[in-house]
């Protein structure tokens, strides 16, 4: 089993990425929302994965957060929902939104936002998962994700400042963005420190 793959994004398509790790390119199917979360060619990232094994096919499904993978696995326990249907559900609803929809027994929302999932399947999903979700835990996970998003937004401002500083020094926007992305390992305290790390990569 492949728990996660850490590597460099080489290409993005409508519902999948090509991630390179040690000279091997992995095609990973991902929810549409995940592909919009700042993934771009040249960016290093960690993708939590689920490997589907069939006689004639091996498919990797990936998620940016472990929580999303756990919810994906729970969806697979529902009779009639396979990996592609589960991916479709998580493309229309975040893990938090799905948890609250199940706890509220809102089949209409699940059916409306999940491609290929009708109201009957949504009702079955609720019936089979509602005892596996806890309301207090759902609120805790939502709060935790909001805190992570706030931290990410702050980090994005630092990256933008570093990119602007590099372009002011005469580098192209593409060069600046690539250098900052590669240098941003989470250790820089501010834009100035990130700028220094990026410049080292450009010398």
């Amino acid at each position: 089993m492949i728990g996660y793959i850490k590597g460099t994004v080489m290409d993005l398509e409508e519902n999948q990425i090509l991630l390179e790790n040690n000279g091997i390119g992995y095609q990973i199917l991902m929810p549409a929302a995940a592909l919009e979360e700042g993934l771009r060619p040249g960016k290093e990232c960690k993708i939590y994965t689920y490997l589907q094994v069939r006689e004639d096919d091996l498919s990797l499904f990936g998620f940016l957060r472990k929580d999303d993978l756990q919810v994906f696995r729970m969806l697979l326990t529902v009779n009639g929902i396979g990996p592609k249907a589960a991916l479709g559900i998580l493309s229309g609803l975040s893990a938090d939104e799905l948890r609250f929809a199940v706890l509220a027994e809102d089949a209409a929302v699940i059916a409306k936002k999940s491609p290929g999932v009708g109201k009957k399947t949504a009702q079955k999903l609720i019936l089979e998962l509602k005892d596996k979700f806890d309301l207090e835990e759902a609120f805790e996970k939502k709060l935790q994700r909001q805190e992570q998003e706030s931290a990410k937004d702050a980090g994005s401002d630092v990256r933008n400042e570093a990119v602007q500083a590099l372009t002011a020094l005469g580098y192209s926007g593409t060069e600046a963005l690539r250098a900052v992305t590669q240098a941003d390992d989470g250790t820089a305290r501010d834009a100035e420190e990130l700028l220094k790390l990026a410049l080292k990569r450009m010398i």
Side-chain angles (χ1 to χ4, degrees):
M1 178 61 75
I2 302 172
Y4 67 83
I5 302 173
K6 192 173 183 180
T8 304
V9 178
M10 303 305 293
D11 193 21
L12 290 169
E13 294 184 21
E14 186 178 349
N15 65 341
Q16 68 180 17
I17 68 168
L18 180 64
L19 190 72
E20 183 180 336
N21 172 279
N22 289 327
I24 300 174
Y26 295 89
Q27 284 188 316
I28 306 174
L29 295 162
M30 297 185 71
L35 294 173
E36 295 167 4
E37 288 194 41
L39 289 179
R40 56 184 178 272
K43 183 178 176 70
E44 290 188 8
C45 62
K46 182 178 182 179
I47 307 293
Y48 293 94
T49 58
Y50 172 85
L51 178 63
Q52 179 190 37
V53 181
R54 290 182 174 174
E55 287 185 12
D56 59 345
D57 179 55
L58 289 175
S59 295
L60 268 175
F61 296 82
F63 306 89
L64 291 174
R65 286 174 283 271
K66 201 171 184 178
D67 180 46
D68 294 336
L69 174 60
Q70 289 171 343
V71 172
F72 176 79
R73 288 179 177 278
M74 292 177 80
L75 285 169
L76 297 182
T77 66
V78 177
N79 188 30
I81 294 182
K84 289 191 176 177
L87 194 70
I89 292 169
L90 289 174
S91 287
L93 292 161
S94 69
D96 290 326
E97 289 170 337
L98 180 62
R99 264 191 288 265
F100 284 113
V102 169
L103 289 166
E105 299 187 21
D106 195 341
V109 166
I110 296 172
K112 182 180 178 181
K113 293 193 174 183
S114 307
V117 174
K119 199 164 184 180
K120 284 187 178 180
T121 303
Q123 288 170 337
K124 184 193 293 183
L125 185 158
I126 289 169
L127 185 65
E128 295 189 28
L129 292 185
K130 66 180 180 180
D131 292 334
K132 297 180 180 180
F133 290 139
D134 177 77
L135 187 59
E136 186 176 341
E137 184 184 3
F139 275 113
E140 285 178 3
K141 286 184 179 292
K142 184 175 183 180
L143 181 60
Q144 184 181 33
R145 184 167 298 195
Q146 286 174 338
E147 289 173 349
Q148 289 171 346
E149 291 300 321
S150 295
K152 189 187 293 182
D153 289 342
S156 179
D157 291 339
V158 168
R159 286 192 295 273
N160 288 339
E161 284 184 44
V163 169
Q164 288 171 8
L166 283 173
T167 54
L169 290 172
Y171 294 100
S172 72
T174 302
E175 288 174 327
L177 183 59
R178 183 183 297 117
V180 169
T181 300
Q182 291 174 347
D184 187 11
D185 58 3
T187 61
R189 290 168 294 182
D190 53 33
E192 185 178 350
E193 193 168 335
L194 182 56
L195 176 61
K196 289 176 182 177
L197 291 172
L199 282 169
K200 285 181 182 178
R201 289 179 172 270
M202 302 183 86
I203 294 172

